[in-house]
Amino acid sequence: DLTAKCADMIKKAQKICLLSGAGISTNAGIPDFRGPKGLYRTAGVDNPERIFDISYFYRDPSLFYKFHKEFLKALQQIKPTFSHYFFAKLEEKGKLIGIITQNIDSLHQRAGAKKVYEIHGGVWESYCLKCGKKFNYEESFKKTMEEETPHCDSCGGVIKPDIVFFGEPVKYLDKCIELARESDLFFVVGSSLVVTPAALIPAECKGTIVIVNKGDFSTTYLPMDRVDLVADEDIDAFFK
Ligand code: OAD
Ligand code: ZN
């Protein structure tokens, strides 16, 4: 069966690389974007992708903050899933060379993984769009909870967390491509693979490619004939 086949691939691999997406954290209690209960279906706004669109943020940052407040509150409640620990363990055993994540929930790091590349940034730092002043997590969290849109105490400019929005360049792309090229086993876990450039990274792997994700991949950028195994199953059930 698929899990036995995958276990065998892991045994043979020396340099495993993971690309994770929102689906790896749904069992922790954070909704994904495009899944059946995803934010883009439940948000109740037209063109929900504009919530994370940088041009829209410049015009009306309050839409993003409406959802970000809830995300930050949820972040305080959640714990890493079995699968976050599973990949941290592979790193500890010296079999995993890196985790590329599109997530901003830091659950990979909280599970103990060290080589994590947050290609879409994270919430730990924020900065003022006007004067560039930096705010640490505690400061930005407090302001975000107190104001509709948090503002800079020096100049009054709008504060933005160091998350990559649509229309902004991703982080660590060269390093991520290097990791994929070096890997002999590449996992895609919990991503619909429709957002570029992240979706273009798996094909850089010259070895085995495995997808563990529910849903269809008819619109992905990854040529499916390059994929060696697709597990259309619950992520934690599969890795358990
Ligand atoms: P998506 O929401 O697009 O994809 C998550 C995938 O995980 C979907 O295909 C789900 O069906 C699947 N899934 C969810 N829970 C699962 C489970 N327990 N078991 C198996 N499969 C499960 O999330 P991403 O691909 O991460 O970027 O989205 C990419 C980017 O789009 C995000 O980083 C974010 C978003 O807009 C920005 O905002 C810039
Ligand atoms: Zn400022």
Side-chain angles (χ1 to χ4, degrees):
D1 67 339
L2 289 183
T3 50
K5 208 172 156 194
C6 184
D8 195 49
M9 287 168 167
I10 291 174
K11 273 184 206 139
K12 287 182 180 135
Q14 312 279 328
K15 295 180 171 187
I16 300 171
C17 185
L18 165 68
L19 171 67
S20 69
I24 199 172
S25 297
T26 53
N27 286 329
I30 301 185
D32 61 10
F33 300 94
R34 299 174 187 81
K37 293 175 191 158
L39 182 64
Y40 293 158
R41 290 172 203 256
T42 62
V45 291
D46 297 334
N47 311 317
E49 287 203 359
R50 76 190 155 135
I51 299 168
F52 305 104
D53 185 283
I54 193 62
S55 336
Y56 191 82
F57 183 82
Y58 287 133
R59 269 181 282 151
D60 176 17
S62 70
L63 178 68
F64 163 78
Y65 274 112
K66 187 177 153 223
F67 293 97
H68 194 56
K69 282 177 216 281
E70 298 311 313
F71 177 77
L72 290 182
K73 281 185 217 157
L75 211 51
Q76 297 188 313
Q77 315 286 330
I78 59 166
K79 293 189 182 72
T81 66
F82 179 89
S83 304
H84 289 101
Y85 287 111
F86 182 87
F87 281 94
K89 199 80 187 170
L90 286 178
E91 181 186 83
E92 195 189 300
K93 290 187 176 293
K95 285 179 86 79
L96 180 135
I97 57 172
I99 295 175
I100 304 162
T101 187
Q102 301 166 83
N103 301 343
I104 56 167
D105 56 29
S106 301
L107 289 181
H108 287 296
Q109 297 92 314
R110 280 180 53 196
K114 305 271 185 302
K115 291 177 239 172
V116 183
Y117 297 89
E118 295 180 302
I119 190 169
H120 290 168
V123 298
W124 305 112
E125 231 179 34
S126 299
Y127 59 93
C128 169
L129 288 177
K130 210 163 158 190
C131 76
K133 182 175 174 181
K134 287 191 168 145
F135 298 89
N136 67 26
Y137 181 69
E138 286 69 32
E139 292 167 324
S140 63
F141 181 87
K142 192 164 176 285
K143 284 178 183 294
T144 303
M145 293 304 153
E146 284 170 3
E147 298 173 53
E148 186 186 35
T149 294
H151 287 89
C152 174
D153 43 19
S154 315
C155 79
V158 169
I159 296 173
K160 178 184 173 291
D162 200 17
I163 296 168
V164 174
F165 279 48
F166 290 116
E168 292 188 303
V170 300
K171 297 172 187 284
Y172 317 114
L173 186 58
D174 290 349
K175 177 66 189 176
C176 295
I177 289 172
E178 197 182 293
L179 280 171
R181 286 186 180 157
E182 202 190 327
S183 66
D184 55 3
L185 174 56
F186 195 100
F187 278 98
V188 177
V189 177
S191 178
S192 60
L193 285 183
V194 295
V195 173
T196 55
L200 301 170
I201 295 171
E204 296 294 327
C205 171
K206 311 274 187 296
T208 307
I209 303 178
V210 173
I211 294 179
V212 183
N213 195 76
K214 277 195 247 171
D216 90 293
F217 283 95
S218 51
T219 56
T220 180
Y221 290 90
L222 175 59
M224 289 307 279
D225 57 5
R226 285 284 334 275
V227 182
D228 300 275
L229 190 153
V230 181
D232 187 355
E233 297 173 27
D234 178 78
I235 293 161
D236 286 326
F238 182 81
F239 285 109
K240 268 179 197 162

